[in-house]
């Protein structure tokens, strides 16, 4: 879907939070995302799980989430809905969101098989809505990231002591990333607290940025909080819509990425 590329460029989905049920669903989705970070850290700490399997496990969970979201938005025939929107045969928010999520879904298929590709995710909570921004870029993740290496992706053939040292180094780097993710997940949960137990004033703003990149055998991770701009929106929404990615995402890309270009 070459025509789908432009729908992702510097755009985000804005979802309304109009009632308690919407608030609850949003919180539960963020909790599942945090649980995924915990599982990832546990797999990274397991010396019997190769690094590619860790990321494939994460990718499988993301696929399931995308399929669920697409079916919620557009039904079982979401691909037909998305194609109709991209071909100009329909012009509604259902078609727009189906196209946005489906294009992201396609990009995720090649995330860990294509070298030097970066997955960039920003989720921001505002008083009456939240935004989800997916970006797929080439380039590198800045020194802010934590990194680990995969023995399965190292091109050199090593023997004896060198091979054992490489394995030990990779295990150590994976352990450090696992430790970083566990600490970051706790902060992530704090950004999106339970609406049943947290006053509105304490939960109406929150945000995270998640970056995963691969450069050869090396994988880079960023999972951090991000402060929403309270002046970003001067209107309310009653239905989902596509919006510009926002100044928060732009600033995060400047800070966290180097030589980044959008994948077309």
């Amino acid at each position: 879907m070459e025509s789908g590329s432009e729908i992702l460029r510097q755009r985000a989905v804005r979802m309304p939070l109009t009632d308690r049920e919407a608030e609850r669903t949003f919180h539960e989705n963020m909790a599942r995302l945090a649980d995924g970070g915990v599982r990832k850290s546990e797999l990274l700490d397991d010396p019997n799980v190769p690094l590619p399997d860790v990321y494939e496990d994460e990718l499988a969970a993301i696929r399931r989430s995308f399929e669920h979201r697409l079916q919620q938005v557009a039904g079982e025939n979401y691909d037909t809905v998305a194609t109709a929107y991209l071909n100009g045969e329909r012009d509604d928010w259902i078609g727009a969101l189906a196209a946005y999520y489906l294009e992201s879904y396609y990009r995720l298929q090649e995330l860990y098989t294509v070298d030097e590709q970066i997955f960039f995710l920003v989720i921001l909570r505002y008083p009456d809505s939240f935004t989800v921004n997916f970006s797929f870029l080439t380039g590198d993740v800045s020194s802010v990231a934590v990194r680990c290496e995969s023995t399965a992706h190292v091109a050199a053939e090593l023997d004896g002591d060198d091979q054992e040292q490489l394995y030990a180094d990779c295990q150590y780097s994976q352990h450090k990333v696992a430790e970083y993710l566990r600490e970051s997940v706790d902060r992530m949960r704090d950004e999106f607290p339970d609406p049943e137990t947290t006053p509105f004033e304490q939960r109406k703003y929150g945000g995270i940025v998640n970056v995963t990149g691969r450069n050869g055998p090396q994988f880079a991770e960023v999972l951090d909080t991000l402060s929403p701009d309270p002046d970003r929106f001067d209107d309310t929404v009653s239905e989902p819509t596509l919006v510009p990615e926002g100044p928060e995402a732009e600033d995060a890309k400047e800070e966290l990425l180097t030589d980044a270009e959008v994948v077309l």
Side-chain angles (χ1 to χ4, degrees), residues 44-256:
L44 283 166
D45 259 342
D46 189 338
N48 297 315
V49 180
L51 189 59
D53 290 359
V54 175
Y55 282 98
E56 186 56 42
D57 180 86
E58 179 184 48
L59 189 56
I62 295 174
R63 286 193 194 106
R64 291 191 295 270
S65 175
F66 267 77
E67 287 177 341
H68 177 68
R69 174 60 66 184
L70 281 162
Q71 290 169 358
Q72 278 188 320
V73 168
E76 293 293 333
N77 296 321
Y78 53 76
D79 52 345
T80 302
V81 173
T83 301
Y85 178 84
L86 293 172
N87 288 340
E89 298 166 7
R90 60 186 296 164
D91 183 19
D92 61 333
W93 70 263
I94 295 176
L97 264 64
Y100 185 92
Y101 279 113
L102 190 60
E103 182 63 20
S104 299
Y105 179 79
Y106 287 154
R107 298 290 176 190
L108 283 165
Q109 308 308 303
E110 59 186 22
L111 183 59
Y112 303 124
T113 58
V114 177
D115 200 6
E116 298 183 356
Q117 184 158 303
I118 300 167
F119 174 51
F120 185 93
L121 167 66
V122 169
I123 301 175
L124 298 167
R125 162 72 201 262
Y126 301 90
D128 70 331
S129 62
F130 68 93
T131 60
V132 180
N133 168 226
F134 299 104
S135 298
F136 298 85
L137 310 104
T138 59
D140 196 12
V141 186
S142 74
S143 59
V144 173
V146 293
R147 288 172 163 81
C148 58
E149 287 196 324
S150 166
T151 54
H153 289 89
V154 175
E157 295 184 4
L158 303 174
D159 297 316
D161 293 343
D162 289 338
Q163 188 177 43
E164 290 184 8
Q165 184 61 52
L166 172 64
Y167 181 81
D169 290 344
C170 289
Q171 287 296 311
Y172 178 76
S173 67
Q174 290 175 36
H175 170 72
K176 298 305 290 184
V177 173
E179 186 177 62
Y180 165 79
L181 288 177
R182 282 192 294 272
E183 295 172 352
S184 300
V185 162
D186 288 340
R187 295 196 301 272
M188 175 183 171
R189 293 190 195 278
D190 291 340
E191 288 294 301
F192 307 111
D194 189 337
E196 300 297 332
T197 59
T198 309
F200 179 73
E201 287 299 317
Q202 296 178 23
R203 70 175 192 271
K204 67 179 182 178
Y205 290 107
I208 61 163
V209 55
N210 184 203
V211 183
T212 300
R214 178 189 162 204
N215 191 341
Q218 191 174 80
F219 290 77
E221 291 279 349
V222 175
L223 179 56
D224 204 356
T225 59
L226 196 63
S227 297
D229 180 355
D231 298 322
R232 178 178 179 185
F233 298 115
D234 57 6
D235 63 341
T236 60
V237 289
S238 58
E239 62 184 28
T241 186
L242 293 182
V243 296
E245 66 179 358
E248 305 95 335
E250 294 172 5
D251 291 345
K253 287 177 182 178
E254 284 281 328
E255 178 184 354
L256 301 175

